[in-house]
Amino acid sequence: MFQSQAILGRMAGTKNPEQIDDHVWPADGLDCIPDWVYTSDAIYEREVERIFHGRTWNYVALEVEVPNVGDYKRSYVGPTPVVVSRAEDGSIHVFENRCAHRGAEFCRNARGNNKEFVCPYHQWSYDLKGNLQGIPFKRGVNKAGGMPKDFRNENHGLKQLAVTTRNGVVFASFCHDMEPLEDYLTPEILKDFDVVFNGRKLHLHGYYKNEVPANWKMYHENLKDPYHATLLHSFLVVFGLMVAGNESAMIADSKYGIHGTMASAKKEDKYAKVSDDTKKEMRSFHEGMKLQDERFLEYIKEFDSPWSVTMQTIWPNLIVQREMNTLGVRHIVPNGPNSFVMMWTMFGYEDDTEEMTRHRLRQGNLMGPSGFLGLEDNEALRFTQEGISKSTTEQSVIKLDAGNVGTADSLISEAAIRAMYRHYREVMDL
């Protein structure tokens, strides 16, 4: 865990002599990734401008977190602090957590309920939609000082973002002429998104938060890389959640190539049955490994889906996890080129039985920063960032399943990573 204020305080905008023009993508095109994509301050600043503040829908909250009038939640769009607020008419609004007067971050609590937002510095006050409603000493004192006569409150509200929702999930964008969310996500991604967010009311189970000392894009790569899942994670392999040879897929959206669903179908057996040839390829497979509590392996089929495990990446900042019966979302908050913060929200459904709630909480130990899976991913990304930052080599190779860009039927593929960087290069002009 960490002190979130200290970590999230290191925002984008650090200037140095480096220029975008210094960076030229290698001639190998989509078969390699240059190291400066992960380490360059200039690249990171353009990512904030063109991706997080550009033509994207960014996850900011679940509606269940702001169910009542006056409820609010602090959130982020890229590195930019925002507030998600439920107004008197029931509508949801998202605005920058920056006072229009002197720039103070006025909302200090993670969640709460307010009738208004008041900046602690000079007490400028805003309504639940982010409109300026009051200024102390607006007309001065004894006819001296104060705002000019032509000052209008309606011209000095908080910077407001476009907002859309789908089945209880709230997205925001700095771009006010964004395409509908359904078009942005595409049918391929909506198919599994709507399996989890199917209209049933959600019930919050809790939160995790951790910092990962790696570039934010690496987490997208990690979940578009089913290859690593069959090798790094002993738990997935030994207990049959994701094994080479199982029915599986890496599904990329066909419109942009930036969203993806890594999916696998667990067989009925509690433990994986792996051929001798496959065992030789997977050092993470440990013969005879057992669980003291085998309830971790119980999969209660509750969804109309062929998959028991799905991990969705929704560009640029959301992961939707469904690992058997444990459910959650992960919110990526970039923190410069060499770090990002991961904000986890675990949930179930309001109509879950007490037994199902306990089952989801139990299986929740699979996930989280110190879970059976998350810890290994975080360490692997840290090792990768360290290697890239300190070595003399200038690029990484992504040639698995060469020639394929996008969806792959095999786990031994990097096709979805190539699709992501094809779009990334277009947006970034690289």
Side-chain angles (χ1 to χ4, degrees):
M1 290 307 225
F2 61 91
Q3 296 298 317
S4 60
Q5 293 303 312
I7 290 174
L8 293 173
R10 301 196 298 270
M11 306 298 287
T14 302
K15 303 295 182 183
N16 60 36
E18 177 192 27
Q19 301 294 323
I20 290 287
D21 292 342
D22 296 338
H23 303 302
V24 178
W25 202 278
D28 286 345
L30 296 180
D31 288 338
C32 66
I33 306 172
D35 288 357
W36 44 259
V37 159
Y38 307 105
T39 59
S40 164
D41 286 318
I43 290 293
Y44 173 73
E45 289 165 11
R46 183 176 284 191
E47 288 172 349
V48 173
E49 173 194 355
R50 296 195 177 187
I51 297 174
F52 294 101
H53 292 178
R55 299 195 65 81
T56 55
W57 283 114
N58 290 258
Y59 167 82
V60 289
L62 299 175
E63 284 199 63
V64 70
E65 296 178 279
V66 288
N68 304 309
V69 170
D71 285 347
Y72 68 87
K73 174 193 174 183
R74 288 180 63 183
S75 189
Y76 295 86
V77 172
T80 304
V82 299
V83 177
V84 183
S85 171
R86 177 83 68 173
E88 290 87 350
D89 60 2
S91 59
I92 294 177
H93 296 262
V94 179
F95 36 82
E96 279 197 12
N97 191 357
R98 180 191 190 279
C99 181
H101 178 214
R102 298 292 300 279
E105 194 172 308
F106 59 86
C107 182
R108 308 303 301 169
N109 296 321
R111 286 168 293 279
N113 184 278
N114 278 344
K115 292 182 178 179
E116 62 180 356
F117 295 96
V118 180
C119 179
Y121 197 1
H122 300 95
Q123 282 78 60
W124 283 36
S125 64
Y126 304 89
D127 66 18
L128 298 174
K129 296 183 178 182
N131 301 308
L132 179 62
Q133 60 182 9
I135 300 174
F137 305 117
K138 183 176 181 179
R139 299 306 176 203
V141 177
N142 297 328
K143 298 183 179 181
M147 287 294 181
K149 291 183 179 180
D150 63 352
F151 184 91
R152 297 288 181 269
N153 285 11
E154 58 268 26
N155 296 330
H156 296 276
L158 303 172
K159 188 178 183 72
Q160 300 184 27
L161 281 66
V163 178
T164 191
T165 63
R166 184 176 178 89
N167 294 344
V169 187
V170 185
F171 295 86
S173 179
F174 278 91
C175 181
H176 283 268
D177 62 345
M178 271 297 293
E179 65 186 315
L181 180 67
E182 291 72 19
D183 294 341
Y184 179 71
L185 293 182
T186 75
E188 295 96 337
I189 300 304
L190 284 175
K191 182 176 181 179
D192 285 291
F193 182 88
D194 288 346
V195 167
V196 175
F197 301 108
N198 52 23
R200 294 170 67 186
K201 289 187 177 181
L202 303 183
H203 175 74
L204 291 177
H205 286 165
Y207 301 92
Y208 302 113
K209 189 185 292 185
N210 70 298
E211 181 183 16
V212 181
N215 186 272
W216 67 273
K217 296 185 296 298
M218 286 186 183
Y219 211 85
H220 279 276
E221 294 176 26
N222 184 67
L223 292 175
K224 296 178 186 294
D225 169 20
Y227 177 53
H228 93 276
T230 67
L231 300 169
L232 174 66
H233 300 300
S234 293
F235 190 91
L236 287 182
V237 173
V238 173
F239 303 120
L241 275 71
M242 187 164 285
V243 183
N246 277 13
E247 184 181 359
S248 56
M250 181 65 242
I251 303 164
D253 76 270
S254 60
K255 186 174 184 180
Y256 301 111
I258 48 178
H259 316 304
T261 303
M262 184 164 59
S264 180
K266 178 175 168 53
K267 296 184 183 299
E268 295 296 325
D269 301 302
K270 285 189 175 179
Y271 298 91
K273 294 181 179 179
V274 181
S275 68
D276 290 338
D277 289 341
T278 303
K279 288 177 187 177
K280 294 176 184 178
E281 299 286 344
M282 297 190 303
R283 298 186 183 186
S284 56
F285 184 86
H286 299 284
E287 197 81 56
M289 182 182 286
K290 302 290 182 181
L291 286 175
Q292 290 291 333
D293 187 347
E294 292 187 340
R295 290 177 297 175
F296 276 108
L297 304 178
E298 292 176 1
Y299 173 51
I300 300 170
K301 186 169 176 55
E302 58 177 327
F303 303 110
D304 183 16
S305 169
W307 311 117
S308 56
V309 174
T310 59
M311 298 295 293
Q312 278 203 314
T313 50
I314 295 178
W315 187 262
N317 72 341
L318 175 62
I319 291 91
V320 181
Q321 67 172 60
R322 177 168 69 88
E323 289 272 354
M324 296 196 290
N325 298 110
T326 186
L327 306 172
V329 292
R330 309 177 196 175
H331 181 179
I332 296 172
V333 182
N335 189 34
N338 301 297
S339 166
F340 66 91
V341 173
M342 184 68 76
M343 305 174 75
W344 310 59
T345 304
M346 309 300 290
F347 60 88
Y349 301 108
E350 193 176 85
D351 59 2
D352 281 343
T353 64
E354 182 177 350
E355 183 180 0
M356 176 58 91
T357 297
R358 295 304 306 169
H359 182 57
R360 294 197 201 281
L361 291 170
R362 185 184 305 114
Q363 283 194 345
N365 287 284
L366 296 172
M367 315 310 297
S370 298
F372 294 152
L373 305 175
L375 182 65
E376 294 168 344
D377 282 329
N378 292 347
E379 283 291 273
L381 298 188
R382 178 172 72 90
F383 297 159
T384 303
Q385 190 74 22
E386 288 176 351
I388 286 172
S389 300
K390 298 173 183 178
S391 75
T392 58
T393 305
E394 296 181 349
Q395 65 189 45
S396 302
V397 176
I398 48 169
K399 291 190 176 183
L400 278 176
D401 196 15
N404 186 16
V405 179
T407 294
D409 293 329
S410 169
L411 293 179
I412 315 304
S413 178
E414 292 166 327
I417 300 176
R418 288 191 287 272
M420 182 184 91
Y421 277 106
R422 180 175 60 187
H423 179 83
Y424 175 86
R425 290 180 64 186
E426 292 174 1
V427 172
M428 292 286 288
D429 286 333
L430 293 173

